[in-house]
Amino acid sequence: MTDTAVKIDNVAIARDYFRLLDAKSPDMLSLFTPDFEFYYPKYGRGGGAEQLMDVVVGLSARVETMEHDVSDYLFVAEGDHVVVEGTTRGVLSNGDKWAAGETPCGRFCNVFTFRDGKIARVAVYLDPDYLNEAESAFLWGREGRQW
């Protein structure tokens, strides 16, 4: 397979990751190598299906639904890596909503590493304060900000 074909396949797998994540599908685990590693803010580094499910269960306690609209995402593929910059919107378990561009949270960047057509590592960089509880973190205030 050519380098270009591998990059195209890796981007397709990254797209599938977001689709299956939004669907809360256990099939998402089929995209990963058995020994995969991950990073998620406030959880830290982890590895394997059991620890990833810890993150999913923790998020599910706060997040009712989440949507990734990959149609306008930036995908940068190089070698075994795909970097994705994107946005989310969703509904929290308390009924509050968030949407990137309208609320302070919802923007993210994921860095994927692939091995043999599977995700071997993913690092997720985002602000997990979906409930906007970290008021003291708004060092420059909220007024006049574009989200």
Side-chain angles (χ1 to χ4, degrees), residues 60-82:
S60 294
R62 289 197 150 193
V63 177
E64 185 75 25
T65 62
M66 181 183 300
E67 296 176 41
H68 295 82
D69 181 6
V70 299
S71 65
D72 65 349
Y73 284 10
L74 173 64
F75 290 86
V76 179
E78 185 59 44
D80 293 334
H81 303 282
V82 174

Side-chain angles (χ1 to χ4, degrees), residues 34-52:
D35 61 341
F36 74 91
E37 297 177 353
F38 67 88
Y39 169 80
Y40 192 84
K42 307 294 189 225
Y43 182 89
R45 294 176 54 190
E50 185 176 327
Q51 289 187 338
L52 183 60

Side-chain angles (χ1 to χ4, degrees), residues 25-127:
S25 173
D27 292 341
M28 183 181 76
L29 291 173
S30 69
L31 301 176
F32 291 90
T33 62
D35 61 341
F36 74 91
E37 297 177 353
F38 67 88
Y39 169 80
Y40 192 84
K42 307 294 189 225
Y43 182 89
R45 294 176 54 190
E50 185 176 327
Q51 289 187 338
L52 183 60
M53 296 309 346
D54 286 346
V55 173
V56 170
V57 168
L59 283 174
S60 294
R62 289 197 150 193
V63 177
E64 185 75 25
T65 62
M66 181 183 300
E67 296 176 41
H68 295 82
D69 181 6
V70 299
S71 65
D72 65 349
Y73 284 10
L74 173 64
F75 290 86
V76 179
E78 185 59 44
D80 293 334
H81 303 282
V82 174
V83 177
V84 183
E85 180 185 41
T87 59
T88 62
R89 63 183 165 274
V91 179
L92 301 168
S93 55
N94 69 0
D96 288 349
K97 296 179 181 180
W98 86 88
E102 298 171 24
T103 60
C105 68
R107 296 184 184 278
F108 72 90
C109 183
N110 281 16
V111 180
F112 294 92
T113 303
F114 291 86
R115 185 174 68 240
D116 300 325
K118 301 269 188 181
I119 300 168
R121 181 180 173 276
V122 60
V124 178
Y125 300 100
L126 55 74
D127 180 356

Side-chain angles (χ1 to χ4, degrees), residues 62 104-105 126-135 137-138 142:
R62 289 197 150 193
C105 68
L126 55 74
D127 180 356
D129 184 23
Y130 294 108
L131 295 174
N132 293 311
E133 295 171 318
E135 192 64 38
F138 289 92
R142 292 179 186 240

